[in-house]
Amino acid sequence: MSQEESGEPGERTNVTGLVEAPPRPASRKRGAGGARHALASLRSSPGFRLLWVSNLFFYGGAWTQTMVLGWLVFETTDSEFLLAVFTAVRLAPMLLGPFAGVLSDRYDRVRLLVLACLWALGAVVVVAAMASSGLVSYGALVAGGLAIGLAQSPSQPARASLVLDLVGRENLSNANALNALAMNMTQVIGPAVGGAMISAFGAPAALWISTTWYAVSLAALWPLRGAGRTAPHRPEPVLKMLTGGFRTVLTSRLAAAVLLVTLAANVLLWPVHQAFMPVFADDLGLDAAGLGWLLTCGGLGGLVGSLVIAMLGDFRFKGGLFVLGTAAWGALWSLFALSRTVPLSFALMACIGLMSAAFGVLQTTLLLMTTEPEVRGRALGLQELAIGVMPFASLGLGAAAGSVGVGTTAFLSGLLLVAILLTLALRVPQLLGYSGVPTS
């Protein structure tokens, strides 16, 4: 693929043929952020602009269909446990993360994303057609959720690795923040549109909306075809790449600590967000539109948090913000679980979204910065595996919620995450001071 004209001086093309951002001048101070730096990666890399637009619409489809399918499952079954089972099946493809990481290190990353987007588009069309035909049994919804998950989760290592290829190390934190900004923008729009569509026209119409999101994502990604080629090499056998990558990543104390935080968050809190929001909405007396707006508040908070991190630029103490921000996120979830009033719940959900940005943006940034280039895809595959425990955690938390209630389960989960983060801060203090400066 030929280099695109950006109008920005000083760009260079790396070994993959992708346009990188220019090196940051030595005179520029670390942390010199501000509004004019918030869009640095989008301004300097034409390839990242295309990827960002594709991500924006891909995440939009994911948020819309996850909300709509979850609502349909709870409406059909009226069972917290069966909702948790659906969520577990929907997220089970994350367990393929290590193999997806090998594919990301071995093959053209853009081609992998195109194939994933095509599959997602086809899967959502089938589910939407089934819903329009009245075939909305619980089994059909579970099968549809699995098909959509098979499109989304295995593509994540390639999607995240491609960011570093396109923008370089200096703009990585900014680019990941902008990607999180895209996700949270769609978290604002997708659930609100989905809830309103359910209320006005029914769930099938909301599912058809999500097909248009995926179609636009594919159109934005299409011009990048051929830009994701890796440097020529003789690939190792898949199993050897898998075990070697695991060994390299897990022997890094910092990388292992980052993965531990990801694992803890996805065992304790993300299942609550993914599986039980319809239950919280029902307890608060909210309908489908109300659930959409509750999720929108979280998206607005996440959008603001991501924008703040983007404005910080290449700031210091990324590890400290990651650990302490994630701990604050857990504490806010505990407070949300105690809330019994609608206005307070909406305010707390906005704060939860705000603090989730520290976790969502920096987990990938820090993992990429603390691993070697040749194993970054596999490092992100391990991250996807850590996220992939969520289905099993959803089953456990669903069983606990059936016994003691969703509110109590979420409250205790949030407190336990805070305890784990504080312990990690004491055991791996170097993570708190890590700023992402490569050693020379």
Side-chain angles (χ1 to χ4, degrees):
M1 176 179 177
S2 61
Q3 179 172 327
E4 298 176 63
E5 295 298 328
S6 68
E8 297 288 342
E11 288 187 343
R12 67 186 188 277
T13 303
N14 64 12
V15 293
T16 66
L18 302 176
V19 179
E20 293 182 344
R24 186 182 58 186
S27 60
R28 179 176 166 183
K29 294 182 179 179
R30 172 179 294 274
R36 72 186 185 90
H37 297 310
L39 304 179
S41 299
L42 290 173
R43 292 171 55 204
S44 63
S45 173
F48 179 69
R49 284 200 293 271
L50 288 170
L51 179 64
W52 188 84
V53 171
S54 177
N55 288 344
L56 177 69
F57 285 92
F58 189 89
Y59 295 142
W63 278 114
T64 302
Q65 52 86 14
T66 297
M67 181 268 182
V68 175
L69 290 178
W71 180 266
L72 280 172
V73 167
F74 191 63
E75 184 179 59
T76 301
T77 65
D78 196 30
S79 168
E80 290 90 345
F81 181 72
L82 289 179
L83 180 60
V85 170
F86 165 80
T87 303
V89 174
R90 164 70 176 82
L91 299 175
M94 289 181 178
L95 297 174
L96 300 174
F99 295 98
V102 171
L103 294 177
S104 175
D105 284 335
R106 189 182 179 102
Y107 298 113
D108 185 318
R109 288 164 179 162
V110 174
R111 182 175 296 176
L112 292 173
L113 296 185
V114 168
L115 291 174
C117 204
L118 284 169
W119 176 267
L121 177 60
V124 179
V125 165
V126 171
V127 175
M130 293 174 65
S132 298
S133 302
L135 303 176
V136 288
S137 68
Y138 177 70
L141 291 171
V142 170
L146 176 62
I148 294 168
L150 285 170
Q152 183 180 350
S153 300
S155 69
Q156 292 304 104
R159 193 177 302 277
S161 299
L162 191 58
V163 173
L164 183 57
D165 292 338
L166 290 167
V167 305
R169 188 183 182 94
E170 300 291 352
N171 279 326
L172 180 61
S173 179
N174 174 265
N176 281 330
L178 290 173
N179 268 335
L181 189 69
M183 181 180 290
N184 284 293
M185 287 170 62
T186 58
Q187 189 180 355
V188 171
I189 298 169
V193 170
M197 291 290 287
I198 291 174
S199 297
F201 306 110
L207 288 176
W208 283 114
I209 289 290
S210 70
T211 67
T212 64
W213 289 89
Y214 284 130
V216 176
S217 175
L218 179 62
L221 192 62
W222 199 256
L224 280 174
R225 287 173 302 130
R229 290 188 297 271
T230 57
H233 65 287
R234 185 180 182 87
E236 297 176 334
V238 171
L239 185 59
K240 185 176 180 180
M241 289 184 69
L242 188 66
T243 56
F246 278 21
R247 186 164 48 250
T248 301
V249 174
L250 295 179
T251 52
S252 166
R253 187 172 176 83
L254 286 174
V258 173
L259 286 169
L260 177 61
V261 176
T262 298
L263 178 64
N266 283 281
V267 167
L268 295 171
L269 281 188
W270 275 120
V272 174
H273 185 271
Q274 292 287 336
F276 299 135
M277 290 309 295
V279 183
F280 282 118
D282 186 65
D283 290 343
L284 291 168
L286 300 175
D287 59 9
L291 170 61
W293 285 112
L294 184 64
L295 294 173
T296 295
C297 280
L300 282 170
L303 189 152
V304 172
S306 300
L307 184 60
V308 169
I309 294 176
M311 292 171 63
L312 290 175
D314 193 22
F315 63 97
R316 294 177 60 83
F317 303 114
K318 297 178 182 70
L321 179 58
F322 175 60
V323 173
L324 299 179
T326 303
W329 178 57
L332 286 166
W333 266 110
S334 292
L335 293 176
F336 177 81
L338 297 176
S339 174
R340 295 295 179 269
T341 62
V342 172
L344 178 59
S345 296
F346 273 66
L348 285 170
M349 184 53 60
C351 293
I352 286 170
L354 179 69
M355 297 313 301
S356 73
F359 172 77
V361 172
L362 293 174
Q363 64 171 336
T364 301
T365 299
L366 291 172
L367 191 58
L368 287 170
M369 286 184 167
T370 55
T371 52
E372 297 299 321
E374 61 271 13
V375 297
R376 282 172 180 154
R378 280 161 284 178
L380 292 164
L382 277 173
Q383 181 189 75
E384 194 71 8
L385 180 62
I387 297 171
V389 304
M390 196 189 309
F392 302 102
S394 294
L395 293 175
L397 292 179
S403 299
V404 301
V406 168
T408 301
T409 301
F411 174 76
L412 294 176
S413 294
L415 288 185
L416 184 56
L417 181 64
V418 172
I420 290 173
L421 267 295
L422 294 180
T423 302
L424 181 67
L426 294 175
R427 296 294 300 273
V428 192
Q430 58 266 44
L431 180 58
L432 292 178
Y434 184 75
S435 298
V437 182
T439 58
S440 55

